[in-house]
């Protein structure tokens, strides 16, 4: 975490928790639902994409416990969610693919702020 000053870390922590608007319980349930298949289902702690699992782990940490890898994922998630919000109009009922992609990062665009 040497590359981040206290101010930068605070800003990243706040930005991450602003764009990740799903609780850890909501994200965990979504990742399990997303990966549930007709014939097989992964173990609950392995459901969903790697980034989604990492976001879930970060949500369960205190700021003082963050690793450099956590900070990299947090920056990536903030950048991806902000880019998606900038490119796309308000989500529509039929736009499930875009919504699901963001939900796998912990951001539900249909969830009220």
């Amino acid at each position: 975490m040497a590359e981040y000053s206290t101010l930068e870390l605070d800003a990243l922590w706040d930005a991450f928790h602003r764009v990740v608007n799903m609780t850890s319980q909501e994200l965990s349930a979504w990742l399990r639902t997303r990966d549930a298949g007709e014939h097989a289902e992964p173990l609950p702690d392995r459901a969903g994409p790697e980034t989604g699992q990492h976001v879930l782990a970060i949500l369960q940490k205190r700021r003082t416990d963050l690793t450099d890898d956590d900070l990299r994922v947090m920056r990536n998630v903030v950048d991806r969610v902000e880019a998606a919000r900038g490119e796309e109009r308000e989500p529509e009922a039929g736009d499930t693919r875009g919504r699901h992609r963001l939900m796998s990062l912990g951001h539900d665009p249909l969830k009220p702020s």
Side-chain angles (χ1 to χ4, degrees), residues 80-99:
R80 288 171 64 184
V81 171
E82 288 179 347
R85 283 180 160 163
E87 293 171 2
E88 298 173 5
R89 60 206 178 281
E90 287 297 311
E92 298 173 3
D95 184 22
T96 56
R97 178 177 283 159
R99 178 179 182 225

Side-chain angles (χ1 to χ4, degrees), residues 13-29 31 51-63 65-66 70 73-74 77 103-107 111:
W13 177 265
D14 292 343
F16 177 79
H17 283 89
R18 185 181 65 251
V19 300
V20 176
N21 64 357
M22 297 170 71
T23 65
S24 57
Q25 294 85 5
E26 290 169 332
L27 179 55
S28 178
L31 294 175
T51 302
Q53 282 297 317
H54 203 139
V55 168
L56 185 58
I58 293 168
L59 288 174
Q60 298 167 345
K61 288 185 175 188
R62 296 175 305 183
R63 187 184 327 208
D65 297 330
L66 295 173
D70 294 335
V73 169
M74 289 169 69
V77 167
M103 286 175 68
S104 292
L105 297 175
H107 178 78
K111 189 173 184 179

